[in-house]
């Protein structure tokens, strides 16, 4: 892991501490998490997934689209939701996700994930989720998780 | 990018060609894509997202869970769906996703994504999607995409 972390950091990637959120999740429990999307994030996400869609990698192609330039992978943005819910108390396991991708995210944007528990059944939680780049909603949806 | 690719390859990551699928998408159009999930994928996905959930990184913690050992991030598995739909003809943009995570994926598993167009409206497609590890369904859901 050290070698990968070193390269990531050297390329400007933001290494986040994995700190758990406080409190006891119940209806109305809110979470927030943010991370900067860097070039190295787009590169690593592209390699890991195999999604080398030119809209994420090729300025020439991307500049001719409605986006007017390269954008980060939508699922790179929503990977931050995984990181956000993982910070809830307990050992968190993802069960279900639903996301609408409403606006593009660019390299250099800081994405902020905001979530709120809207249903609870024993150790199973459903959270409504929004991701923001600045004041703009870039993703909205919901997730259900188990807390072990 | 070269430096990241080199480290990825050196650590056993599977670098995929970005080749477009043939044909003209319509109802019934099928796609298939597979990729091996390696340790370096879990590491990079953890860094990029900031999801360092011990169930993905800590054998001691993960072995005490129902999973009986470390598992890959669910959203690492579904990132392969992004790569799969990106290989459809046209420039593909993700609009909406819905996934249920039905079984764990381990490091070393090859995940196979199978999708089928079930709705088409102009250049907008909805695909039903399943991800398999071996014969086991690990994710099921659907995505909608635009083809520019």
């Amino acid at each position: 892991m050290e070698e990968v972390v070193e390269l990531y950091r050297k390329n400007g990637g933001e290494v986040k501490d994995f700190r758990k959120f406080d409190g006891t999740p119940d209806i109305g429990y809110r979470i927030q998490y943010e991370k900067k999307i860097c070039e190295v994030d787009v590169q690593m996400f592209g390699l890991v997934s195999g999604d080398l869609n030119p809209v994420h990698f090729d300025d020439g192609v991307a500049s001719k689209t409605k986006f007017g330039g390269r954008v980060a992978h939508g699922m790179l943005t929503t990977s931050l939701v995984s990181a956000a819910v993982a910070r809830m108390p307990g050992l968190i396991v993802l069960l279900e996700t639903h996301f609408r991708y409403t606006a593009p995210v660019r390299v250099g944007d800081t994405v902020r994930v905001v979530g709120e528990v809207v249903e609870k059944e024993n150790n199973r939680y459903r959270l409504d989720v929004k991701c923001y780049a600045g004041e703009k909603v870039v993703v909205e949806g919901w997730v259900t998780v188990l807390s072990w």
Side-chain angles (χ1 to χ4, degrees), chain A:
Chain A
M1 184 76 169
E2 289 72 17
E3 202 183 3
V4 178
V5 172
E6 194 186 324
L7 182 69
Y8 183 69
R9 206 187 290 271
K10 196 184 100 183
N11 281 274
E14 187 188 0
V15 179
K16 302 289 284 191
D17 284 340
F18 189 71
R19 260 190 244 126
K20 285 287 192 175
F21 300 134
D22 294 327
T24 307
D26 209 330
I27 309 290
Y29 181 86
R30 290 175 69 87
I31 62 172
Q32 190 163 309
Y33 171 75
E34 63 176 42
K35 193 168 189 296
K36 188 174 176 185
I37 305 290
C38 301
E39 186 63 43
V40 68
D41 292 310
V42 174
Q43 291 176 1
M44 286 189 175
F45 191 90
L47 277 175
V48 162
S49 62
D51 185 349
L52 303 175
N53 189 333
V55 79
H56 311 304
F57 291 97
D58 187 327
D59 272 319
V61 171
S63 64
K64 287 180 203 127
T65 69
K66 203 160 61 177
F67 291 150
R70 295 195 302 133
V71 300
H73 304 76
M75 291 199 196
L76 167 52
T77 296
T78 46
S79 76
L80 274 58
V81 176
S82 180
V85 295
R87 283 166 166 74
M88 290 172 65
L91 194 76
I92 298 295
V93 176
L94 202 58
L95 293 181
E96 194 167 359
T97 61
H98 185 104
F99 298 123
R100 286 199 314 122
Y101 298 85
T102 53
V105 171
R106 319 255 172 203
V107 167
D109 284 350
T110 292
V111 170
R112 184 165 46 97
V113 179
V114 176
E116 181 175 346
V117 174
V118 293
E119 290 175 29
K120 176 184 186 305
E121 196 186 332
N122 301 316
N123 61 336
R124 185 187 171 115
Y125 302 90
R126 175 167 156 155
L127 294 96
D128 279 349
V129 169
K130 284 200 172 90
C131 302
Y132 295 86
E135 294 310 302
K136 190 161 215 166
V137 176
V138 294
V139 169
E140 54 185 3
W142 53 266
V143 300
T144 55
V145 298
L146 278 181
S147 171
W148 279 346

